Amino acid sequence: MGQWQNLDPFARQSENRTLTEKPALTAWNQPALRPFLSVYQAYFNDNFGFRSALVRGNFFLRYQLLNVSPSKQVVLGENGWLYFTGDRALDDYRGITRFNDEQLGRWARDLLAKRDWLAGQGIRYLLVIAPNKSTVYPEHLPARYNKIRPVSVLDDLVDFLSNRTDLEVIDLRDALHREKSHYPLYYRTDTHWNNYGAFIAYREIAGRLAAWFPQIVPRTMDDFDITSSKSNVGDLANLIGGQDFIDDDYHIFTPKQPYSATVTEQEEAPRTPFTMVVPGKALPRAVVFRDSYFIPVVPMLAEHFSASRYLWNLWDDQTPMAEIVARYQPDVVIEEVVERFLKGTRLFPKGMPAYFRAEAGGHDANTGQEREVPLHEITAVAQAEIRREPSGLIVNATGHDPQLAVPVARLTVDLAGGIILQATIESPVETTLQLFYATAGNPAYSEERSTTAPLIQGDNQVELFIFDQDVTGPLRLDPANTPGNYIIKRLAVRRFRQGAPAATPP
């Protein structure tokens, strides 16, 4: 009755997902009824009568009376702080989330590919990482959320990129930690930083851009009138049903010199791409990939570009980047991503986009020429017997540590950089492929100078990355850690560039 007569006295709360819409029954037969009933059940669960009243009642019972969270996605911290558990965000802080060598190598490879492809067109690339709220304000977490290890997955990635590449990365953690004693930087009841935190992020980004584009003059906090009020702004308060009852401090930054950027090319959807334009000024142009953390940053940053295009997603292998660059002609591409979205992300899960391919030879624009490794030159070193068949190199692993020697001495070194070994291999079981290498200064193989990739049962196409530039051959390939017959169908090696010349800003 409440659903159809609209008797619920409380307004429907906004949610962090799209509620199921009422389906239409197209025909009275079994093929049409079966999917209809399933969708209608989801619709009913989202829209049943007095749902809003019951959500609020659950909030008062559990939060107000029992001091427990009404939602599995929200942890109640001290002093009214709420923390998001979705996307395993707290695992990031605790150090549970980890990157293996293959994941770190893929991140580096894909980011370098982006940077170098843009640099070839005179375009800068900047990666910006927004930390989770629990990374900046862990002190309000319950004691049970202790650290499992002292470093996080963000430490793993940033350290890898800093030590193995020369990518331009803005890790905002240090700047936010420096300022948190002066200003509140995140909302207590929301996953995001507040306008103070957004301003710190803006200052770090604008400062880096000013070194490339001298016409950019970052604003200071003195350029704003800052007022404070109370507001029901928290998405986490909403998740536990308390948005109407839990308020938060809301700080409004009003520029003393009004913003001049105006919005164009925007439809009525929050995640629809849009463009900001500042007419009549000789400023650089930008394309920005971003998430919800960037919403309060956009008005500040847009003032420094004659035109800036904003896209709510990562630059992945489905992004028509060649068309975007041709249309918006950016001088810089900025990619912002929140910490919790880093794990498990493969920027190019289906391989390098076609526009990364060089016109000559069909090779990646950021790599040297690919060289096939002659399978007949691979030799068994330990716990392996090999024979050559038309299907490939048959490797009979007689123990748990089979070892092969892979010659690379004849490779032409086209670029000063690391090595990518591409392997096509058929495995009888799930196991792990491991590649060892030696350098002039460290001629012995070791775990520290190795990289791994998982194999599934059946056919596999994997890439292993070596980020040392003075690799000496041969490589040692351990095709598995399980006895059995493996078929190596193809091996190829190529160099990739780690230190491309910086693009020259116009």
Side-chain angles (χ1 to χ4, degrees):
M1 177 69 71
Q3 179 178 1
W4 291 284
Q5 298 297 323
N6 196 25
L7 300 178
D8 195 331
F10 296 101
R12 174 184 291 179
Q13 291 180 289
S14 60
E15 301 197 27
N16 290 341
R17 63 185 179 91
T18 302
L19 299 182
T20 306
E21 296 183 359
K22 187 176 182 180
L25 181 61
T26 57
W28 285 94
N29 54 51
Q30 187 174 6
L33 279 172
R34 185 173 298 171
F36 171 82
L37 293 175
S38 176
V39 176
Y40 193 88
Q41 179 67 52
Y43 160 73
F44 179 82
N45 291 341
D46 281 350
N47 297 276
F48 63 83
F50 301 102
R51 181 176 186 271
S52 295
L54 291 172
V55 167
R56 287 165 173 81
N58 183 58
F59 163 76
F60 277 107
L61 174 64
R62 304 189 71 182
Y63 180 84
Q64 300 282 33
L65 297 180
L66 302 178
N67 194 34
V68 297
S69 175
S71 170
K72 293 180 180 179
Q73 291 187 294
V74 180
V75 166
L76 306 186
E78 299 174 353
N79 304 314
W81 282 73
L82 306 178
Y83 291 89
F84 186 53
T85 66
D87 303 314
R88 304 193 343 261
L90 293 182
D91 287 355
D92 298 341
Y93 163 70
R94 302 183 70 197
I96 296 173
T97 310
R98 299 187 184 212
F99 276 151
N100 59 34
D101 289 344
E102 189 272 340
Q103 290 170 310
L104 290 169
R106 187 171 293 277
W107 264 97
R109 191 281 308 263
D110 291 354
L111 292 169
L112 286 166
K114 293 178 177 182
R115 191 275 310 275
D116 293 348
W117 181 76
L118 292 170
Q121 304 173 73
I123 304 170
R124 296 278 191 175
Y125 175 74
L126 180 61
L127 176 66
V128 180
I129 303 174
N132 296 338
K133 174 178 170 179
S134 52
T135 297
V136 181
Y137 285 98
E139 60 267 30
H140 303 293
L141 278 167
R144 67 182 181 275
Y145 290 96
N146 60 305
K147 276 184 171 287
I148 302 300
R149 63 177 183 136
V151 296
S152 68
V153 70
L154 182 52
D155 290 315
D156 293 339
L157 179 61
V158 170
D159 290 349
F160 192 91
L161 296 178
S162 298
N163 295 328
R164 306 293 188 93
T165 78
D166 60 348
L167 282 162
E168 293 282 352
V169 181
I170 294 182
D171 174 10
L172 291 166
R173 289 178 296 176
D174 286 346
L176 292 167
H177 279 297
R178 284 195 306 269
E179 299 296 335
K180 64 181 285 189
S181 62
H182 302 114
Y183 313 102
L185 302 180
Y186 283 66
Y187 293 110
R188 290 179 294 102
T189 64
D190 196 280
T191 54
H192 302 87
W193 52 37
N194 60 21
N195 284 332
Y196 275 114
F199 177 80
I200 301 304
Y202 153 77
R203 284 285 298 177
E204 292 295 307
I205 297 168
R208 187 72 59 90
L209 294 174
W212 294 341
F213 308 101
Q215 59 269 54
I216 291 179
V217 180
R219 296 194 183 198
T220 69
M221 207 169 284
D222 291 336
D223 294 320
F224 295 87
D225 289 321
I226 303 173
T227 56
S228 299
S229 63
K230 295 289 185 178
S231 178
N232 303 108
V233 294
D235 58 1
L236 298 180
N238 182 40
L239 277 174
I240 62 175
Q243 186 180 33
D244 294 338
F245 311 103
I246 304 176
D247 59 23
D248 208 334
D249 295 318
Y250 184 60
H251 308 283
I252 303 168
F253 277 55
T254 304
K256 295 176 182 177
Q257 180 181 344
Y259 293 136
S260 55
T262 57
V263 179
T264 64
E265 300 182 303
Q266 182 185 36
E267 299 175 17
E268 293 200 8
R271 299 193 177 190
T272 298
F274 63 91
T275 303
M276 301 284 283
V277 175
V278 176
K281 291 187 179 181
L283 295 170
R285 301 170 63 88
V287 168
V288 181
F289 294 89
R290 52 101 186 191
D291 53 41
S292 57
Y293 269 66
F294 224 66
I295 292 174
V297 179
V298 169
M300 306 179 194
L301 195 62
E303 293 296 295
H304 301 305
F305 302 112
S306 61
S308 47
R309 179 70 170 169
Y310 297 89
L311 304 156
W312 190 311
N313 57 308
L314 279 171
W315 172 3
D316 60 19
D317 50 19
Q318 303 303 303
T319 305
M321 195 60 183
E323 291 84 351
I324 292 171
V325 167
R327 179 174 180 180
Y328 295 100
Q329 300 180 2
D331 300 296
V332 61
V333 171
I334 301 170
E335 191 162 20
E336 176 268 326
V337 58
V338 68
E339 177 185 354
R340 70 176 189 265
F341 291 161
L342 291 173
K343 55 184 171 290
T345 297
R346 298 177 62 180
L347 301 181
F348 303 129
K350 296 183 180 179
M352 287 292 183
Y355 52 78
F356 277 159
R357 306 294 178 181
E359 294 182 2
H363 303 293
D364 287 354
N366 70 310
T367 67
Q369 187 175 8
E370 185 175 273
R371 295 286 188 265
E372 293 277 345
V373 176
L375 297 183
H376 67 270
E377 293 186 2
I378 296 174
T379 57
V381 176
Q383 298 186 27
E385 300 171 349
I386 61 176
R387 70 178 188 275
R388 294 158 187 89
E389 300 286 351
S391 58
L393 187 71
I394 311 299
V395 180
N396 175 24
T398 59
H400 293 276
D401 190 21
Q403 301 172 17
L404 307 176
V406 180
V408 295
R410 287 199 252 168
L411 281 173
T412 300
V413 179
D414 301 290
L415 299 167
I419 289 176
I420 301 173
L421 177 71
Q422 296 178 313
T424 303
I425 183 170
E426 183 179 332
S427 173
V429 294
E430 290 187 5
T431 186
T432 299
L433 181 74
Q434 189 165 14
L435 179 68
F436 292 83
Y437 64 93
T439 65
N442 295 282
Y445 299 120
S446 69
E447 291 291 332
E448 290 75 20
R449 289 179 295 281
S450 74
T451 181
T452 62
L455 298 181
I456 63 171
Q457 183 178 8
D459 286 331
N460 295 265
Q461 293 186 2
V462 298
E463 291 182 327
L464 299 126
F465 304 86
I466 298 174
F467 285 84
D468 281 296
Q469 298 189 20
D470 60 343
V471 174
T472 60
L475 304 175
R476 193 187 102 187
L477 183 67
D478 295 5
N481 55 22
T482 307
N485 287 324
Y486 301 83
I487 306 175
I488 299 177
K489 299 179 179 180
R490 179 178 181 268
L491 288 181
V493 183
R494 70 180 187 270
R495 292 275 183 175
F496 67 93
R497 182 169 53 217
Q498 295 188 70
T504 301

